[in-house]
Amino acid sequence: MRNFPELFKGRNDMHGALIDINFNKIGRDGKYTKESTFVYKAPVFDDHLKGKQKIGIIPFVENDRCHFGAVDIDEYKNFDHKQLIQKLRDKKIPGVVTRSTNGGAHIWFFFNNPVRSSDLKSKLKAVRQELGYDADGEVFPKQKVLKEGGKGNYIYLPYYGKGLDVENKKWTNECDTYGFNDEGKKLLLEEFEEYANEYVIDGLL
């Protein structure tokens, strides 16, 4: 069974890191503004899980191959994660849903072997459309191919060891970027690893 770092395997020479959240600045998408940066070394997953440093992973393992992909659903207020999961299962789409930092959703797709990034991006856009969202919304990888010297874009991982208290504009010590099972039940990290492994697939969707 693949553990958390193995599920979210991406670039090992750089990653994204959250510096802070600006609680006084809300973007057009309704999210608090994140201040973040690139870090030019391998990600430390344990620090993320313990709430020491929230990290984002660039999904490329080669310039044209990815081990995972993701769809970012930028809807936040009272978002129904259980309904999204039901849509995925009804349509037989093997995605795994987690709550995003601001209360929306990330839909993750994990592969046994790296898949071609250009094909993956196209498939993820098709998934968005099939679920009733704008096909041009965010998917990861964002690039079809990672060009020489390019960085790529990172996506923040679930199970950061802290959460956001939006009302009081502060961090708490309780993770709020957890995953859900098929019934919409919140999963602990170990339960999520087991559940996600059930949905690892060989090829593209």
Side-chain angles (χ1 to χ4, degrees), residues 40-197:
Y40 296 89
K41 61 181 181 180
V44 181
F45 288 88
D46 198 46
D47 283 354
H48 173 86
L49 296 172
K50 289 180 177 178
K52 295 180 179 179
Q53 177 62 70
K54 187 178 182 71
I55 63 172
I57 298 298
I58 303 162
F60 288 93
V61 290
E62 299 176 34
N63 71 321
D64 64 345
R65 294 288 189 279
C66 296
H67 243 303
F68 75 87
V71 171
D72 187 358
I73 305 298
D74 287 329
E75 294 183 8
Y76 308 110
K77 191 173 182 179
N78 300 319
F79 186 82
D80 192 334
H81 296 86
K82 184 176 180 179
Q83 185 179 70
L84 173 61
I85 295 164
Q86 189 61 56
K87 278 186 183 180
L88 291 168
R89 299 299 164 253
D90 288 346
K91 295 177 179 295
K92 302 190 184 309
I93 299 172
V96 174
V97 174
T98 62
R99 184 182 184 277
S100 64
T101 305
N102 285 278
H106 290 158
I107 309 172
W108 306 92
F109 297 90
F110 305 108
F111 303 97
N112 275 318
N113 298 297
V115 296
R116 192 178 299 277
S117 50
S118 58
D119 295 338
L120 177 56
K121 181 179 179 180
S122 296
K123 289 290 186 181
L124 294 175
K125 289 168 72 72
V127 166
R128 287 188 63 94
Q129 194 166 33
E130 188 170 356
L131 293 172
Y133 298 103
D134 182 359
D136 292 326
E138 276 195 306
V139 299
F140 296 82
K142 286 193 173 183
Q143 294 79 19
K144 290 184 177 181
V145 175
L146 191 61
K147 295 180 180 179
E148 185 70 27
K151 295 178 181 178
N153 291 82
Y154 53 82
I155 178 171
Y156 285 110
L157 297 187
Y159 288 94
Y160 179 51
K162 291 184 179 179
L164 284 181
D165 179 347
V166 175
E167 184 176 344
N168 295 301
K169 297 183 178 182
K170 66 178 184 179
W171 289 100
T172 72
N173 290 320
E174 184 176 353
C175 169
D176 62 2
T177 52
Y178 41 77
F180 304 87
N181 65 12
D182 285 357
E183 287 72 46
K185 178 186 174 183
K186 181 173 80 172
L187 298 173
L188 298 174
L189 174 61
E190 296 78 12
E191 295 172 325
F192 173 80
E193 290 175 327
E194 184 174 351
Y195 173 77
N197 271 271

